[in-house]
Amino acid sequence: MSDSESTGSCHLTARGAATRARIVNAAADLIYACGVDRTSLDDVMAKSGVSKSQLYHYFADKDALVLEVITLQSERVMTAQQPHLGAMDSLKALRTWRDAIVQLNQRAHTMGCPLGSLASELANDSETARKRVAVGFAMWRDAIERGLERMRERGALSPPANPQELAMALLTAVQGGLLLSKTMKSNRPLEIALDMAIDHIARHTASQRSPGKKH
Amino acid sequence: MSDSESTGSCHLTARGAATRARIVNAAADLIYACGVDRTSLDDVMAKSGVSKSQLYHYFADKDALVLEVITLQSERVMTAQQPHLGAMDSLKALRTWRDAIVQLNQRAHTMGCPLGSLASELANDSETARKRVAVGFAMWRDAIERGLERMRERGALSPPANPQELAMALLTAVQGGLLLSKTMKSNRPLEIALDMAIDHIARHTASQRSPGKKH
C-alpha cells in the first residue's frame, strides 16, 4: 500500500481509515454469512478488494481482524435498534422496540444475531474473543438498563425492580428467541420470547403494584 | 473393517453398532469442544480409534456424520434433564428442573448448550442440518409442553394457558440464558432467564388467577 494511505499503526489518514473499515466490513459480512472458520483472509481480500500486504498492514493476523469484527458487529447491532433502544422510557416504548427487533429479524430472514453467532462460535475457543463479545453484550444490556432506569425515573417502574437483572432477562430472551427463530425459520419464537420478557418487566411497573391504577 | 462387524448398511451386528456409536460419540465430543468446522474426520478417527475405511463404511461423508451427531446431542440433552423433565407436573417440579439445568451448566463450565451450538453454527449453512436441529428443539419443547399439560390436568395451570407457547418461551429462556452464561462465564444469566420464564408460567397457574389463594 502507498504511504499516503497510512502514517503508521497509531494514526491513520482518512484513506487508510477507509481501507481498514472496508476490510472489517467485508470480514463482518462474510463471517455473518459463513462463520469465522469458513471465512479465509483470501475471501476477505477478494470481497474488500485489498491486497495481502494492505490487509497485513492493518491486521497482524486473522484473530486481530476477528476482534475488530466483534466490535463492529456490537456497534451494528446497537445502531440497528435505534432510535427505539435510546427512546425506551415506558412500556409502550419497550413494545415499539420489540416490534422493531421482530421486523429486523424478518428482514434478515431469521439469520440470527450477528453478535450471538460470534459468541456461540468463539466463546469456548478464545478468551480474548470471548471477552470482546462479552463487552458487546454488556453494552447492549447497559443500554436496556438505562431505558429501564428512565422508566423508573418517570415512575413507570417500581422502585424495588432491579433494572440490571431485568435488562439481562430481556437480553437472554432476545438471544434465545433469535436462535430458535433461526433454527425454526419462523419469527414466532422471537415474538414469544420478547413478549414473555416484556410481561416480566410489566410485572414490575408501578401500575402493576397499585391494582387500582391502569397501566 | 471385518465382515463380522456389519452385515450391511440396513442391519448392523452388535459389534458394528458399537463401532458406529463410538464414531458418533467421538465426533459429538470433538464438535462440542471445537465446533463442526474445526473437527476433521482425521480427528474423529484418532479419538474413536477407527480406520478411514471403517468410518466411510458407516458414513458417506462428514455431513452424514454431523447429522448423527445432531441426533445424538438431542438425545443427550434430553437424557441429561431426566428425571426432572419427565417429572414436571407442578411449579415445584419445574423449579427442581430449573435447579438441575443450572447445576448441569455449572458442571459443564458454562460451555453452552450442545444443541444450541450446533443450531448457531449450522442453521444458515445446511437446510438438512437445520431441520435436524429443529427436530431436536421440537422434541425438547414437546417434553416441556407435556409437563405443562400434566400441570393443567392437575389443576395447577389455568385452562386458558397455552402450554405450547409457554414451552417455547421456556426453551428460548434456556437457550438465551446458556448463551449469555457461556459468554459471561457466569451461571447468573441462565438463572435470571429461567426465573423469568418460570415466573411467566406461574402467572398462568390456577392459583394466580384466584387472588385469594396462595401459590
Side-chain angles (χ1 to χ4, degrees), chain B residues 102-142:
Chain B
V102 169
Q103 275 176 24
L104 282 169
N105 192 42
Q106 199 144 28
R107 279 209 298 273
H109 307 289
T110 64
M111 290 258 296
C113 174
L115 196 58
S117 306
L118 288 164
S120 186
E121 187 172 0
L122 300 172
N124 291 341
D125 180 59
S126 153
E127 267 301 278
T128 314
R130 181 189 70 72
K131 285 176 183 164
R132 186 69 68 99
V133 179
V135 167
F137 278 145
M139 274 170 49
W140 193 344
R141 190 204 54 202
D142 288 351

Side-chain angles (χ1 to χ4, degrees), chain B:
Chain B
M1 52 158 280
S2 66
D3 284 346
S4 66
E5 281 198 31
S6 164
T7 56
S9 59
C10 295
H11 181 74
L12 297 178
T13 62
R15 195 173 155 196
T19 304
R20 191 178 186 283
R22 205 164 70 235
I23 297 168
V24 182
N25 271 287
D29 292 343
L30 289 166
I31 287 172
Y32 182 45
C34 310
V36 173
D37 274 337
R38 294 201 187 185
T39 300
S40 70
L41 290 183
D42 284 339
D43 297 332
V44 176
M45 285 177 235
K47 191 174 166 78
S48 59
V50 303
S51 67
K52 188 175 250 183
S53 66
Q54 277 178 307
L55 194 141
Y56 280 101
H57 175 82
Y58 296 107
F59 304 98
D61 52 24
K62 187 176 169 183
D63 288 351
L65 175 57
V66 167
L67 286 181
E68 292 310 302
V69 166
I70 296 170
T71 299
L72 176 63
Q73 291 292 34
S74 304
E75 290 163 2
R76 280 185 179 177
V77 160
M78 299 291 282
T79 304
Q81 295 172 68
Q82 299 302 356
H84 313 291
L85 187 59
M88 208 185 265
D89 64 355
S90 65
L91 269 183
K92 193 181 163 200
L94 197 58
R95 292 191 177 113
T96 303
W97 166 83
R98 173 262 190 220
D99 292 344
I101 295 261
V102 169
Q103 275 176 24
L104 282 169
N105 192 42
Q106 199 144 28
R107 279 209 298 273
H109 307 289
T110 64
M111 290 258 296
C113 174
L115 196 58
S117 306
L118 288 164
S120 186
E121 187 172 0
L122 300 172
N124 291 341
D125 180 59
S126 153
E127 267 301 278
T128 314
R130 181 189 70 72
K131 285 176 183 164
R132 186 69 68 99
V133 179
V135 167
F137 278 145
M139 274 170 49
W140 193 344
R141 190 204 54 202
D142 288 351
I144 298 171
E145 189 182 336
R146 284 194 298 276
L148 298 175
E149 291 282 9
R150 280 190 296 272
M151 279 179 66
R152 187 151 71 177
E153 282 158 21
R154 296 179 69 235
L157 204 65
S158 65
N162 183 332
Q164 193 176 49
E165 292 211 345
L166 289 176
M168 178 58 88
L170 189 49
L171 186 54
T172 65
V174 172
Q175 288 301 316
L178 285 170
L179 183 62
L180 267 296
S181 278
K182 172 174 163 170
T183 312
M184 304 299 195
K185 283 288 158 222
S186 155
N187 240 333
R188 198 69 199 119
L190 179 63
E191 290 172 344
I192 289 172
L194 290 175
D195 290 342
M196 164 179 67
I198 292 174
D199 280 359
H200 184 61
I201 292 168
R203 290 186 74 193
H204 295 83
T205 52
S207 54
Q208 275 295 103
R209 299 182 67 87
S210 316
K213 283 159 76 182
K214 278 187 191 170
H215 73 284

Side-chain angles (χ1 to χ4, degrees), chain A residues 12 14 23-24 27 29-30 41 63-65 69 72 85 94 97 105-106 129 141 164 177 186 203 211:
Chain A
L12 298 178
I23 297 168
V24 182
D29 292 344
L30 288 166
L41 290 182
D63 287 350
L65 175 56
V69 166
L72 176 65
L85 188 58
L94 197 58
W97 166 83
N105 192 42
Q106 199 144 28
R141 190 203 54 202
Q164 192 177 50
S186 155
R203 290 188 75 195

